[in-house]
Amino acid sequence: MDSKIITRIFHSIFLLSLFSSVSESHQFCDAGIGYCESEYGVASGSSSKILIKGGTVVNSHLQEVADVYIEDGIVAAVQSNIKVGDDVTVIDATGKYVMPGGIDPHTHLSMEFMDTQTIDDFFSGQAAALAGGTTMHIDFVIPVNGSLLGGYEAYVEKARKSCMDYGFHMAVTKWDDTVSKEMEIMVKDKGINSFKFFMAYKGALMINDEILLEGFKKCKSLGAVAMVHGENGDAVFAGQKRMIELGITGPEGHALSRPAIEGEATGRAIHLARFVNTPLYVVHVMSIDAVEEIARARKSGQRVIGEPIVAGLALDDSGLWDPDFKTAAKFVMSPPIRGPGHGKALQAALSTGILQLVGTDHCPFNSTQKSLGIDDFRKIPNGVNGIEERMHIVWDSMVVSGQISVTDYVRLTSTECARIFNIYPRKGAILVGSDADIIILNPNSSFEISSSFHHSRLDTNVYEGRRGKGKVEMTIAGGRIVWENDELKIVPGTGKYIKMPPFSYLFDGIDKIESEYLSSLRAPVERFKATS
């Protein structure tokens, strides 16, 4: 078939599959937060036609100097020397990289947790993301009293103020027939193709191995990705108790109570996933021992995805020993940020393919919220920032240092997430028919990170003072320029919910593996009954 015909067909399919965006503007300001949505707005005369000229267009499989033409929120052409009319906004990207917007696979916006709620909601968190070059994120829906449907409805309401595209994972915190049926509804009707199981947070979110097995089996039947938070919750509980008995109540007790147990839980989840024969996604991989478990499983051919987060790549646990509580407490997250050496090991695992993509676990609590645990580290809300910083830190840590290529960068920050959660090439690519979620990165510019000018509502930043090379100078989301000249141009309510279908590439061949396993059993054996 002629390549031009194929291109037209591809373009048409994507146009038909688009979700209609919300055009109505919503202006609101939460009193007392110090962050007002009405500060931002989209210029009424902004063009729906954009031409990006002369940049190096980078996909995960190819980089080339080309022009990119955008019309009505879709990439309409990628080729050299595109000619356009006067009604098109022309952007000169000469000497710069034109790449798919980042996709953050791991965020917690407006999440109720540890007697408080994350400080960033679906507007402020997304504003921060867009300023940092991320154009889509996938947030974790927490059930309401164990109800998946109740949780979903609550998060739909929370997300009404969204200003960029987003999707949902779903957590499973208990097991019964209702949960099983609701998982089917989530996959078949709500566009959710992944379920997270917490192996930690005893007495709150933690589930046991029996529920893990039931959940894994259900995920397999639905073509949904099973995800785990890999820590041994019982050991954590015991470790916390021991630290308190030793009189260690400060933030350093958080790390000391959770040593060398991430690998055990990660390995246990991997073995159970192998027993069920279903793909497994390990969230926020933070330690060498967890990496070793993932490496061993992948070497044996098991479908295991490992997701490190920016904090694990770029930080060590030294901040937890800071004599200032406010400074130390901002680093408290779970699994904890590990000691020196773990970050470099995670970077190496990314560069060699042992780990597949980078998230953030953006779960921010301000200093007032963190002070809930000033006399007991167990009461410090767990979580750090990262949704705005991820793209810059990964570029500076991994590309500038020479550990990965520019195409690898696109894969780790965008494409692989789109593939795992089955929305590629609509997302994660600059191809004809893809959504026009694009960033322009200048490798010769520099960035600086500070809580004094970041876009999160957070009053601290775990990357405070960090500087590096490579800056996202423009973000285009849904065909609209939303970040330019260090200014946001966004309106609440313009983001779209992206449904994610089941049975991504991770499930390819699973049925054949199952068939080979069954044929290898050589059972049941027919036996003669003994006669008396």
Side-chain angles (χ1 to χ4, degrees), residues 11-89:
H11 193 185
S12 299
I13 291 171
F14 270 83
L15 286 172
L16 288 171
S17 68
L18 288 176
F19 294 88
S20 59
S21 63
V22 181
S23 59
E24 181 182 354
S25 298
H26 301 278
Q27 299 294 331
F28 49 85
C29 185
D30 295 328
I33 297 296
Y35 189 102
C36 186
E37 284 80 356
S38 60
E39 294 172 6
Y40 303 106
V42 178
S44 59
S46 60
S47 173
S48 64
K49 300 176 181 179
I50 299 173
L51 178 65
I52 306 172
K53 286 193 66 67
T56 300
V57 179
V58 186
N59 282 297
S60 63
H61 65 289
L62 175 70
Q63 67 178 73
E64 57 181 339
V65 176
D67 298 344
V68 179
Y69 177 58
I70 298 166
E71 187 169 338
D72 296 329
I74 301 297
V75 177
V78 182
Q79 61 189 64
S80 300
N81 301 315
I82 298 174
K83 306 299 181 183
V84 294
D86 295 336
D87 60 338
V88 177
T89 299

Side-chain angles (χ1 to χ4, degrees), residues 297-332:
R298 288 180 61 83
K299 186 176 181 180
S300 72
Q302 191 174 350
R303 312 282 175 86
V304 179
I305 297 294
E307 169 213 271
I309 61 171
V310 178
L313 297 174
L315 302 172
D316 62 41
D317 67 352
S318 58
L320 289 165
W321 272 262
D322 194 286
D324 177 59
F325 175 85
K326 178 180 175 181
T327 299
K330 73 179 181 180
F331 293 101
V332 171

Side-chain angles (χ1 to χ4, degrees), residues 106-376:
H106 190 153
T107 62
H108 298 282
L109 303 181
S110 295
M111 177 190 179
E112 288 88 11
F113 186 55
M114 296 183 72
D115 298 321
T116 186
Q117 179 171 298
T118 52
I119 199 68
D120 278 332
D121 60 19
F122 275 79
F123 181 82
S124 66
Q126 291 183 353
L130 291 170
T134 288
T135 54
M136 180 180 170
H137 70 108
I138 311 178
D139 210 80
F140 285 89
V141 173
I142 306 300
V144 174
N145 297 322
S147 169
L148 277 55
L149 193 56
Y152 173 81
E153 291 170 348
Y155 272 74
V156 167
E157 188 62 33
K158 292 177 181 183
R160 290 193 186 280
K161 58 180 72 174
S162 292
C163 57
M164 77 178 200
D165 291 357
Y166 62 95
F168 287 148
H169 307 293
M170 175 64 70
V172 174
T173 56
K174 72 172 189 176
W175 190 259
D176 55 28
D177 289 341
T178 299
V179 170
S180 178
K181 291 174 183 175
E182 286 185 330
M183 286 178 70
E184 294 181 23
I185 294 171
M186 293 301 116
V187 173
K188 296 175 181 177
D189 299 337
K190 307 302 184 184
I192 293 175
N193 67 2
S194 50
F195 296 90
K196 181 179 180 180
F197 302 88
F198 289 87
M199 301 173 77
Y201 300 118
K202 186 172 183 177
L205 300 170
M206 178 179 163
I207 51 87
N208 58 29
D209 286 358
E210 180 182 3
I211 294 176
L212 206 56
L213 281 168
E214 292 298 327
F216 283 3
K217 287 189 288 185
K218 193 67 179 182
C219 284
K220 178 183 177 182
S221 70
L222 294 171
V225 178
M227 312 175 82
V228 291
H229 171 137
E231 284 189 289
N232 186 314
D234 291 319
V236 167
F237 184 79
Q240 290 175 329
K241 184 178 178 182
R242 183 184 185 195
M243 290 304 111
I244 296 298
E245 290 171 348
L246 291 172
I248 301 172
T249 60
E252 70 278 8
H254 179 73
L256 293 172
S257 69
R258 309 167 99 96
I261 48 180
E262 193 182 341
E264 182 277 331
T266 299
R268 179 158 40 99
I270 287 171
H271 287 298
L272 294 178
R274 180 186 292 121
F275 179 74
V276 175
N277 185 31
T278 196
L280 182 68
Y281 183 117
V282 184
V283 304
H284 48 44
V285 177
M286 298 292 284
S287 65
I288 293 171
D289 58 320
V291 170
E292 290 173 343
E293 295 290 344
I294 293 168
R296 188 178 299 112
R298 288 180 61 83
K299 186 176 181 180
S300 72
Q302 191 174 350
R303 312 282 175 86
V304 179
I305 297 294
E307 169 213 271
I309 61 171
V310 178
L313 297 174
L315 302 172
D316 62 41
D317 67 352
S318 58
L320 289 165
W321 272 262
D322 194 286
D324 177 59
F325 175 85
K326 178 180 175 181
T327 299
K330 73 179 181 180
F331 293 101
V332 171
M333 65 165 296
S334 295
I337 298 166
R338 301 295 182 183
H342 287 271
K344 288 296 183 183
L346 292 171
Q347 291 181 24
L350 269 178
S351 67
T352 55
I354 295 170
L355 303 176
Q356 286 68 51
L357 74 170
V358 182
T360 63
D361 195 6
H362 183 81
C363 187
F365 298 97
N366 66 21
S367 54
T368 300
Q369 293 171 305
K370 292 279 189 176
S371 69
L372 292 171
I374 195 165
D375 296 317
D376 185 345

Side-chain angles (χ1 to χ4, degrees), residues 406-484:
V406 180
T407 53
D408 285 337
Y409 173 80
V410 169
R411 174 175 55 82
L412 295 172
T413 60
S414 184
T415 307
E416 189 59 23
C417 181
R419 292 183 68 236
I420 290 168
F421 298 106
N422 219 9
I423 51 175
Y424 180 87
R426 178 183 180 181
K427 302 290 186 182
I430 302 178
L431 298 171
V432 174
S434 298
D435 285 359
D437 296 337
I438 294 172
I439 61 172
I440 299 176
L441 185 146
N442 186 341
N444 298 312
S445 290
S446 298
F447 69 86
E448 181 181 358
I449 298 171
S450 174
S451 59
S452 62
F453 51 76
H454 68 198
H455 296 82
S456 166
R457 286 177 172 155
L458 194 59
D459 63 342
T460 61
N461 194 307
V462 292
Y463 311 102
E464 186 71 38
R466 177 162 180 147
R467 294 177 173 86
K469 293 286 287 183
K471 187 175 189 300
V472 175
E473 295 186 337
M474 179 176 289
T475 304
I476 298 171
R480 304 187 317 275
I481 299 172
V482 294
W483 172 253
E484 181 182 23

